[in-house]
Amino acid sequence: MAGFYGTKNKTMDRHVLLRDVDVPDIREYDVYVANGGYEAWKKALTTMKPDEVTAVVKDSGLRGRGGAGFPTGVKWSFIPKDVFPKYVVVNGDESEAGTFKDHQIIDGNPHQLIEGVALCAYAVQAKTSYIYLRGEFYEPAKTLQKAIDEAYAHGMLGKNVLGSGFDIDMYIHMGAGAYICGEETALLSSLEGQLGQPRLRPPFPAVQGLYAKPTVINNVETLANVPPIVLNGAQWYRQYGTEKSPGTKIFCVSGRVKRPGNYELPLGKYTVRELIEMAGGIIDGRPVKGVLPAGSSAPILPASALDTKLDYESVQAAGSILGSASFVILDDTVDIVWAARKMVRFFKHESCGKCTPCREGTYWALKLYDKILSGRGTLEDVNMIGEVAAQMSGKCFCLLGEFATSPMQSTLKHFRAEYEAFIANHQGGKMNGYTDELIREGVIAGPDGVIARH
Amino acid sequence: MTNPLPPLGRAAGNGAATAKPDDRLVSDKRYKIIEATMRRYGYQGHGLIEALHSAQEAFGYLDDFTLMHIARTLHLPPSKVFGVATFYNLFTLKPQGAHTCVVCLGTACYIKGAREVLAAIEAEYDVKAGGTTRDNQLSLLTARCFGSCALAPVLTFDGETIGKVTPEAAAQQIAQRMMAIRQAA
Ligand SMILES: Cc1cc2nc3c(=O)[nH]c(=O)nc-3n(C[C@H](O)[C@H](O)[C@H](O)COP(=O)(O)O)c2cc1C
Ligand code: SF4
Ligand code: FES
């Protein structure tokens, strides 16, 4: 499935991460090696001390690509030196709506991920690493397992790699369909065979992570950045991106654009508007209504923010979060109330149930949206949505609860008029364009009076 | 495992230690697949999710019997196994239809036309894989390998394995069995 949604893009003549776009067979070991693969690993094992690897990554300014954007080298330096065993855990849960970048790395360029994981393990002196993939990644997992097997067969993994005395083992663990398992502490619980529910922090995973041992958790894309950084140095990496957001980043573009796909771009160089243009512009040339910069978990940006630059600081200044950079583009055909309900329904379904504000808040918020969508809503319900969100905000155990408030609060902030118009136009519980969907979901009874099970 | 198994069901009582190993564990080869997975993880509790994956792949869903078997083998409380099995979306407990048909989409079955078999059943019963007919009579599921590849393509109907099915005959074979059960009742 070479480059099955990899996208050529004129702005990067040679990709740093999506190298399968330039070299279609780079998932094969020989092709990867012929294109400079495992050179960084050899360099580190033969010429660098573990701390020097951490230092290079720190100097490069690489920030976590899983959502929070925390500096990766700094995270590694928190791992205590004198506690054993330690673990490296790779977050490949990739469950955010509209995110499909890790999928392409795993499928198209798996050896670069393996090399990155190995370098991280060496830097923190962990002998065991786990790659946690979402349960649906059944096929990509096969590709990755094959690549891991090849790496073992060529002596890049296993005992005493390249005569350095360093041992490393790498395992894949499959999740089983739970968005919350992308949250790092829930992921650790899931890896231990438990319910995927978040844990209290502190202790942070760097101190007590997997099996209560020091653990680094990084996103797939984050670690795929490491081999080129170690090989070419921090200065080379900093030629891309801005002072505070160095490097390149994969932008997943989906929604109402002509050419959805992954676009790897230097951070901070282009604007949201230019990104939409790269993705072929809006279908039928319609106007943009809003943009979700990180799937459903980040506040919506209205069309007035289209000139925001694509880096962590600029998106934050515009009132949202760059996060995983999964841009879902909404045009004027998309009903904001419907879209907000979809996102709230997602969070209600994915709430792990551990804490009350999130579990109950998402439940009642969805009830309110259902009421509005079925044509029985009032302006009071709209206000109530805002109140539920305000009650949840800052009181949830983990960030999922916080994420759940963003579709409510941000759409109310920018598109309140749409809510009011929706209510004015849909009165008395009459059939409307959403009735079928609500029947299918079992929210309201069908024409035969039966409520569908789902 | 050579452990004698206590009687199954939620009310496993005393006298458990004297009960015979259950026939199903012996006669149904699919339990060997699950066994291999649990062995690979040293029969440790943290391999629970892998064991459940393996069971779901082999059976298409997780019934009480299988959950209890896993709980016992891994020395975990049934509540914990049930909790984990219900927490994750990819795990399906006993489906809600009165009857259950699981079509194997494993490699061997796939190349022998399992897709077409599934499509034929979907069309005949107006139900999508993973769903249950509106009259709640039949749940249609898919699995990855029953360990009966020599009989590919394979499906199971209420636990009975039916091999070498064809798209033309599959729906009829299901209908016959449903009819027979209805008449017997
Ligand atoms: C609800 C929730 C879901 C998350 N989902 C993911 C995910 O699917 N993939 C991911 O890499 N990080 C996800 N994260 C972020 C992780 O908790 C964590 O910050 C990240 O794995 C750290 O890696 P990084 O520093 O390389 O970004 C999620 C966080 C939350 C709160
Ligand atoms: S905020 Fe939601 S997902 Fe997070 S712990 Fe609470 S209930 Fe679970
Ligand atoms: S592939 Fe169908 S039984 Fe093995």
Side-chain angles (χ1 to χ4, degrees), chain A residues 290-304:
Chain A
V291 170
L292 299 161
S296 44
S297 63
I300 192 167
L301 288 174
S304 58

Side-chain angles (χ1 to χ4, degrees), chain A residues 9 50 77 173 283 309 329 342:
Chain A
N9 117 40
S77 66
H173 174 100
I283 296 171
K309 288 264 195 233
I329 315 294
K342 265 254 171 290

